Amino acid sequence: MLKQMTFSQKKTDLLLLLKTAKQQLDEMRTPTSEQMLIVISDGRGALSQGADKVRALYSALQGVTVLFIVLDSGKKSIEDHTVASFKDNKVVLTPYLSLFPFPFYALVKSVEQLPSVIAESIRQWFEMTTQHT
């Protein structure tokens, strides 16, 4: 599986990623298994395929904790992005991350932080899952 990772795509197809992950994780699931899916992306475009569609597929991953790691090393931080919409014929700007379809996400400002963020996230996940079992 690791050999197939090329990181050469121009954007992340979240719908395909979540569908494929569900299929593969379902095949490995046991009645007592706890599963975690870690997605590493720049996070931009997470709304482009429709936040409702992404949320629906996310919800279908029952028993799977999805951690979305946003690699935020671009010139403009994802924290500064907004989404424009219209309300009462006026433009409303909403912070992008407030609409982000993944409830568990971590912002990473540099690649060097990835190992420690992933390790801490997994530690917290282990702690959370052992408390619920």
Side-chain angles (χ1 to χ4, degrees):
M1 184 186 292
L2 291 176
K3 290 180 182 181
Q4 295 174 357
M5 294 182 186
T6 63
F7 301 100
S8 62
Q9 67 270 22
K10 299 293 183 206
K11 66 178 189 169
T12 303
D13 185 338
L14 287 177
L15 298 180
L16 179 61
L17 178 130
L18 292 172
K19 286 177 190 174
T20 303
K22 179 174 176 14
Q23 291 170 347
Q24 291 185 358
L25 292 170
D26 282 350
E27 289 174 11
M28 294 182 263
R29 178 170 286 133
T30 67
T32 59
S33 65
E34 297 285 340
Q35 296 176 314
M36 181 180 215
L37 171 64
I38 299 174
V39 179
I40 302 173
S41 172
D42 66 3
R44 289 152 178 82
L47 305 175
S48 67
Q49 293 176 287
D52 292 338
K53 290 179 183 177
V54 173
R55 283 189 191 98
L57 286 171
Y58 172 85
S59 295
L61 287 167
Q62 296 176 355
V64 178
T65 300
V66 179
L67 171 63
F68 199 108
I69 297 179
V70 179
L71 190 53
D72 191 27
S73 59
K75 291 180 183 176
K76 183 177 179 183
S77 172
I78 196 166
E79 294 174 290
D80 299 328
H81 286 253
T82 57
V83 176
S85 61
F86 291 96
K87 184 174 184 179
D88 300 326
N89 291 326
K90 293 182 182 177
V91 175
V92 177
L93 296 177
T94 306
Y96 181 82
L97 287 176
S98 71
L99 302 172
F100 202 65
F102 296 91
F104 299 112
Y105 66 88
L107 292 179
V108 175
K109 298 292 184 180
S110 70
V111 175
E112 291 80 19
Q113 293 176 312
L114 271 176
S116 62
V117 169
I118 291 171
E120 178 60 19
S121 298
I122 292 172
R123 185 196 67 73
Q124 289 179 17
W125 175 71
F126 274 121
E127 188 175 286
M128 182 179 72
T129 57
T130 56
Q131 289 176 357
H132 290 102
T133 56

